[in-house]
Amino acid sequence: MGNLEGHLLSGFGLLVYAVYYSWLMSLALLRKQTVLKHPLLRWKPMCRGRVLQVSYEAVIKVVIPTFAIIGEYFYPIGVNKLQMIDWEDPRRLFVFKDTWQHVTMFGFFFLSGIAGIVSQAQQARWSERLERAAEALAFYVVALMMIAHIENKNALEIRVHLLLVLPAFLLALMLTVEIWVPDNAPLWVLKCWIGLVLGTWMMQICEMYIPFTGQPWRADNPTDLAFVTIFFCWHLVLGVILLVAIYGLCSLWHRHYSSSTKTLGARYQRCLMESSGEELEKLTAEAVPQDGGV
C-alpha cells in the first residue's frame, strides 16, 4: 500500500464499502426499518441439510483482504516479502516493515469477515455483537498502524497519515458504541459520513503521488502543509454532499418502486371464489371482448 496502486486500491475499497453502507442506511430510513438488512448470499453445504445465509459484505471482507495480502507479499511479480527477519545478518534485523504493517491491517479485516460469517450462521444476538466488535477492532488496528507508519517520514507524510488516523479512530469508536447501542439511526448516519471521509481522503493521498498541478508536494514548505489540512476539512463537507446525494437517489428509487408496486397491486386483484353469482357475472361480462375484438 506504500505506493500509488496501494493507496488507490485501498481508498477505492473503503469508498465502495462506505457507499454500500450509505445505500443500506438510506433505504432503511426511507422504509422506517429499525434494523439494517444486508443482501444475503444463500448456499447449501453438501454435508449439511440446512441452507446457510451469508451477507455479501462478509464475503467481500474475506475475499478482498486475501488478494490484498497476496499483493503485499508478491507484488511486483517476482518479489517475495514473506521474510520478516534477515537471518543472514548477525544483527537479525527486521525487514519489510511497511509490508507487515499493511498485512496486519488487511488481516484484521479478514478476521472481521470471518466473524461476520460466523455471526450470520449462528443468528444469535451475541453473535451480532461479536461482528461489530471485530469490525471495530479492525479500524482500531488501522489507526495504530497509521501512527506507526509515520516513523522516519517527512512532515508532509506525517500530516497526511495523522489526518487518516482521525476518521479511522472515530469510526472504530462508533462501532464500539454500537456493540451496546445497536440499531441506532444517528449512529448509522455518522458511520456513513466518517466512512465516506475515510475513503475519499485515502483517494486524495493518491493525488500526492501524481499532483494535478504537475509540481510535487514540498514537505519543507509550511504552505503545502497548511493546504493539506484545508483539503481534509473540505473532505468533511464532501462526505456530507455524497451522503445527501446517495440518500436523494435512494429516495427517488424508493418512490418509483413504491408507486410501481401500488399500481401493480391496484391493476391485478384476486377474484374470490366465494363471491356472489352477480359479482362473478359482472366480472365475466367485463372480460368478454366487444365486437369480436381482442
Side-chain angles (χ1 to χ4, degrees), residues 8-67:
L8 181 62
L9 292 175
S10 300
F12 181 75
L14 288 171
L15 187 59
V16 168
Y17 178 71
V19 170
Y20 164 78
Y21 200 92
S22 301
W23 170 67
L24 286 182
M25 181 271 300
S26 299
L27 290 180
L29 293 179
L30 290 168
R31 295 169 179 172
K32 298 181 180 180
Q33 297 174 351
T34 58
V35 179
L36 286 180
K37 295 182 179 180
H38 294 267
L40 296 177
L41 174 65
R42 294 175 173 83
W43 61 291
K44 184 177 181 180
M46 296 181 63
C47 58
R48 297 185 178 182
R50 65 190 185 96
V51 177
L52 297 180
Q53 296 182 351
V54 181
S55 70
Y56 289 94
E57 175 192 5
V59 174
I60 290 174
K61 283 182 181 178
V62 171
V63 174
I64 292 182
T66 300
F67 283 101

Side-chain angles (χ1 to χ4, degrees), residues 3-4 21 37 69 120 123 149 207 223 229 245 262 281:
N3 50 29
L4 174 63
Y21 200 92
K37 295 182 179 180
I69 291 172
Q120 291 145 24
Q123 294 181 353
H149 200 61
E207 189 271 336
T223 304
T229 307
K262 290 179 180 179
E281 292 178 1

Side-chain angles (χ1 to χ4, degrees), residues 241-258:
I241 294 173
L242 290 175
L243 188 58
V244 172
I246 294 170
Y247 183 85
L249 292 175
C250 290
S251 178
L252 293 175
W253 180 85
H254 178 71
R255 290 180 182 178
H256 176 73
Y257 178 78
S258 298

Side-chain angles (χ1 to χ4, degrees), residues 23-203:
W23 170 67
L24 286 182
M25 181 271 300
S26 299
L27 290 180
L29 293 179
L30 290 168
R31 295 169 179 172
K32 298 181 180 180
Q33 297 174 351
T34 58
V35 179
L36 286 180
K37 295 182 179 180
H38 294 267
L40 296 177
L41 174 65
R42 294 175 173 83
W43 61 291
K44 184 177 181 180
M46 296 181 63
C47 58
R48 297 185 178 182
R50 65 190 185 96
V51 177
L52 297 180
Q53 296 182 351
V54 181
S55 70
Y56 289 94
E57 175 192 5
V59 174
I60 290 174
K61 283 182 181 178
V62 171
V63 174
I64 292 182
T66 300
F67 283 101
I69 291 172
I70 294 174
E72 284 290 337
Y73 282 137
F74 303 107
Y75 180 83
I77 298 175
V79 175
N80 186 350
K81 301 179 184 178
L82 283 172
Q83 183 181 7
M84 179 183 289
I85 301 175
D86 187 0
W87 297 102
E88 297 179 358
D89 193 317
R91 295 173 296 175
R92 301 293 189 266
L93 300 176
F94 288 104
V95 293
F96 305 122
K97 171 180 70 69
D98 291 348
T99 297
W100 284 99
Q101 286 178 346
H102 301 155
V103 167
T104 301
M105 290 188 292
F106 294 138
F108 274 88
F109 279 105
F110 175 86
L111 293 177
S112 175
I114 295 296
I117 293 175
V118 173
S119 170
Q120 291 145 24
Q122 294 293 328
Q123 294 181 353
R125 194 63 180 176
W126 64 266
S127 61
E128 294 179 7
R129 293 186 176 185
L130 172 66
E131 185 177 355
R132 295 281 77 81
E135 193 173 10
L137 180 60
F139 282 102
Y140 278 125
V141 170
V142 170
L144 289 173
M145 290 297 102
M146 286 298 102
I147 293 174
H149 200 61
I150 62 179
E151 297 175 356
N152 300 322
K153 303 289 185 180
N154 58 48
L156 180 65
E157 290 183 294
I158 291 175
R159 179 72 59 85
V160 167
H161 286 86
L162 284 179
L163 291 174
L164 190 64
V165 169
L166 179 60
F169 177 76
L170 289 176
L171 196 55
L173 191 61
M174 285 182 285
L175 287 167
T176 303
V177 173
E178 201 173 26
I179 297 174
W180 290 277
V181 189
D183 306 326
N184 187 279
L187 277 179
W188 294 348
V189 177
L190 286 175
K191 281 198 307 180
C192 292
W193 174 48
I194 296 299
L196 290 169
V197 171
L198 182 62
T200 57
W201 184 245
M202 182 71 79
M203 298 290 286

